[in-house]
Amino acid sequence: MREPYPGRPSAHTCRRRRGRTVDSVSEQTDPQAPLSEQPDAQAPGTQSHDPAVPEAYAAFMRTGWADLPSDTGVHAVAPHAARRRAHLAGLFPGERLVVPAGTFKVRANDTDYRFRPDTAHTWLTGNQTTDAVLVVEPDGSQVLYARPRSSRETDEFFRDRQYGALWAGKRPSLEEIATSLDMEVRHVDELPRRLADQTKTRVHRGVSAEVDRVIDGDEGADAELTRVLSELRLLKDDWEVEQLQQACDITTLGFEDSVREWDRVLEFGERWIEGTFFRRARAMGNDIGYDSIVGGGSHATTLHWIENTGPVTPGDLLLLDMGVENTNLYTADVTRTLPVTGTWSPVQRDLYSLVLAAQTAGIDAVRPGAPFSAPHEAAMQVLAHGLADMGLLPVSAEEALDPSSKVYARWTLHGTSHMLGMDVHDCAQAAPESYAKGDLAEGMVLTVEPGLYFQADDLLVPEELRGIGIRIEDDILVTADGSRNLSEALPRTPEAVEEWMGRLRG
């Protein structure tokens, strides 16, 4: 199921920061000089606690190495990315477009988060290496400026904790990146000279502080580029749909893993499921697409509960909102709410069935030409009337649904849908008329995820409802004649959930 990472340094990810940041765009130091010959008191890539490196040792380390090439073929994303770049160039004729990948981000002191490239950059190139920058020239030609592995004539490979092969894994060469992505690739050190002329340039800003600093900005023009990059991703091609389906399929396996380990879940609580799901995400994908939400009992009423520190208690419900990001960075986003005992109580079943009816109505509303808001409106119709039937609304359901009221939202809280793709909240910079206030079209992928949330301290609901949170979420592809549920492999009906849990728990 896995394809090789296009342009990834290695199977191991870089986590350690260099002791001092070197600007790869503005070239503050000579990247070809041995670190032992750099004039700085502390060499780039080293830490204050590192021992000194005698010149004899450094000179010995620079000799006797073979530069073993990697067996690199053209990645499956390459032709799709090439078409995307060509289309983007056609939208801004005569202008230079600069789209960086970004670099490492500090987690604590000299430790970085695992690197994840900017979505727009990878969508246009397939590249997943740090510090790379895509430049689309006014004539439509495209060059990826990348940071390859260093020569063994320098000290970087054995001293630099962030980029050195012996610390962080071997980065690909320029030739290997070019072969994998089927595009022209040059060293990132050439970029400052390329950007020094007066060509009209738009930058996808907020990704690389170095690039932002080097290029004077036009706020309006740059914002337009970012908007267009979001809007171009609204419609998924067949290859992208395959990637999202794969992410959903792996996510299904992660949910199944969690239920199979139910004895451990009861012993260790929410943390066990978080770890179990993450294991599946790393084994078969790149990562989780977002911090997993594992909400037992009243934690399920906190929409983004990611502490995952609570118990999982028999008699409660457990809300699981989790998604795998596959190796090409497409993510699933799926929620299921499960009875901890494996069997619903009458109250739990009634509430769950109401949310399921709302979700079903929302999914049925997904079709080409329908407003993006249609799934939300359909789901809220069901929930508002259900709340009215329960005697909870202070007004009729129709009055509550009026845009000037919406008092039902005390118990529904959030919108029902968002776009999905390489970002869990995909295409976020698109213009409202293309997204939230626009219409659905074939090729869009969105979530449908209504919920009911009765806070533990809500005195306006019966005591038996307090602390119950239920959400059901699936990933829906808009097709020519309606929709397809990419995450349908996970059961949704009350009966199917009970059967599934009983079978997996043995």
Side-chain angles (χ1 to χ4, degrees):
M1 296 178 72
R2 299 174 64 183
E3 295 178 338
Y5 295 1
R8 263 285 166 91
S10 71
H12 302 284
T13 47
C14 309
R15 288 189 170 198
R16 298 287 184 181
R17 286 190 65 80
R18 297 180 293 172
R20 182 176 67 81
T21 299
V22 175
D23 189 332
S24 61
V25 173
S26 57
E27 300 178 271
Q28 294 177 358
T29 61
D30 180 359
Q32 299 305 314
L35 298 187
S36 57
E37 297 177 7
Q38 297 280 6
D40 309 78
Q42 182 176 316
T46 63
Q47 302 297 323
S48 59
H49 58 270
D50 288 337
V53 175
E55 178 53 35
Y57 168 61
F60 185 63
M61 285 295 289
R62 294 180 215 128
T63 62
W65 302 98
D67 188 10
L68 301 176
S70 299
D71 184 12
T72 305
V74 179
H75 193 276
V77 74
H80 305 285
R83 287 195 296 272
R84 297 164 191 166
R85 293 192 301 273
H87 182 51
L88 178 67
L91 297 177
F92 298 96
E95 301 183 38
R96 176 180 291 146
L97 311 176
V98 180
V99 184
T103 191
F104 302 105
K105 296 179 181 179
V106 179
R107 181 183 184 275
N109 189 29
D110 62 349
T111 304
D112 289 321
Y113 290 102
R114 181 181 286 115
F115 176 70
R116 200 277 194 185
D118 176 74
T119 291
H121 174 91
T122 303
W123 186 77
L124 288 167
T125 65
N127 172 65
Q128 294 188 34
T129 65
T130 67
D131 306 295
V133 181
L134 169 67
V135 177
V136 179
E137 295 292 357
D139 63 0
S141 62
Q142 309 129 25
V143 177
L144 180 69
Y145 293 86
R147 178 176 180 134
R149 61 177 172 267
S150 58
S151 165
R152 294 300 174 96
E153 296 176 357
T154 77
D155 294 0
E156 179 182 281
F157 78 98
F158 73 95
R159 293 189 67 191
D160 193 307
R161 292 166 178 259
Q162 197 173 48
Y163 296 107
L166 300 191
W167 286 94
K170 187 174 76 171
R171 298 175 71 89
S173 68
L174 294 179
E175 293 76 16
E176 289 164 352
I177 298 174
T179 298
S180 175
L181 305 182
D182 195 23
M183 65 180 302
E184 183 177 356
V185 181
R186 300 178 188 170
H187 201 292
V188 72
D189 291 340
E190 297 181 27
L191 185 59
R193 289 185 290 274
R194 167 56 59 188
L195 300 179
D197 61 24
Q198 299 302 308
T199 300
K200 182 178 179 181
T201 301
R202 296 177 189 255
V203 181
H204 180 44
R205 293 198 178 269
V207 177
S208 169
E210 298 174 1
V211 170
D212 288 352
R213 183 172 62 250
V214 169
I215 305 174
D216 292 334
D218 179 327
E219 184 175 350
D222 293 343
E224 184 181 14
L225 173 61
T226 296
R227 174 185 62 77
V228 168
L229 288 171
S230 264
E231 292 176 0
L232 289 176
R233 301 202 316 273
L234 282 168
L235 299 181
K236 274 61 178 179
D237 58 32
D238 290 343
W239 185 81
E240 291 184 288
V241 172
E242 291 175 3
Q243 300 304 304
L244 286 164
Q245 183 65 71
Q246 183 189 80
C248 288
D249 292 344
I250 303 172
T251 295
T252 294
L253 295 177
F255 272 80
E256 291 176 348
D257 293 340
S258 300
V259 177
R260 285 193 181 97
E261 299 181 2
W262 211 249
D263 288 345
R264 292 294 193 179
V265 171
L266 295 175
E267 180 180 0
F268 292 102
E270 297 167 354
R271 295 174 188 266
W272 191 267
I273 290 182
E274 179 183 338
T276 297
F277 188 81
F278 179 71
R279 181 179 68 231
R280 176 66 71 172
R282 285 294 291 150
M284 297 185 69
N286 177 55
D287 207 330
I288 50 176
Y290 53 95
D291 286 326
S292 296
I293 298 169
V294 183
S298 63
H299 289 165
T301 67
T302 300
L303 299 182
H304 287 176
W305 172 258
I306 60 173
E307 292 186 27
N308 302 336
T309 54
V312 174
T313 305
D316 286 346
L317 296 180
L318 177 66
L319 188 153
L320 304 176
D321 187 337
M322 308 186 295
V324 169
E325 178 184 77
N326 81 345
T327 56
N328 292 309
L329 309 188
Y330 288 81
T331 186
D333 181 7
V334 179
T335 306
R336 290 295 185 267
T337 305
L338 309 178
V340 174
T341 62
T343 304
W344 309 95
S345 73
V347 169
Q348 292 169 350
R349 188 185 186 96
D350 287 346
L351 290 175
Y352 183 89
S353 297
L354 174 57
V355 175
L356 178 61
Q359 194 211 21
T360 300
I363 293 173
D364 289 346
V366 175
R367 60 183 183 277
F372 171 79
S373 60
H376 176 73
E377 293 170 357
M380 292 306 105
Q381 281 280 341
V382 174
L383 291 182
H385 282 88
L387 291 166
D389 292 343
M390 295 164 61
L392 298 182
L393 295 181
V395 296
S396 69
E398 293 307 324
E399 290 176 278
L401 286 163
D402 189 283
S404 65
S405 173
K406 292 191 175 181
V407 294
Y408 68 89
R410 177 187 179 101
W411 299 290
T412 63
L413 295 179
H414 57 80
T416 301
S417 299
H418 58 77
M419 292 297 177
L420 186 69
M422 293 179 73
D423 291 337
V424 66
H425 294 151
D426 208 28
C427 312
Q429 303 303 316
E433 56 269 21
S434 298
Y435 183 172
K437 297 182 179 179
D439 293 337
L440 298 175
E442 182 180 1
M444 290 181 174
V445 178
L446 66 156
T447 64
V448 179
E449 51 175 313
L452 279 179
Y453 311 94
F454 300 108
Q455 305 302 320
D457 58 355
D458 190 343
L459 300 180
L460 299 187
V461 300
E463 187 173 357
E464 64 179 354
L465 301 185
R466 295 174 195 167
I468 293 179
I470 298 171
R471 180 164 65 252
I472 311 171
E473 177 181 20
D474 284 280
D475 302 339
I476 309 301
L477 168 68
V478 184
T479 62
D481 57 358
S483 67
R484 174 158 63 94
N485 186 345
L486 301 180
S487 50
E488 65 181 353
L490 277 173
R492 291 192 300 143
T493 67
E495 299 79 11
V497 169
E498 288 183 338
E499 187 278 329
W500 176 75
M501 291 187 70
R503 172 168 44 84
L504 293 176
R505 292 170 63 185

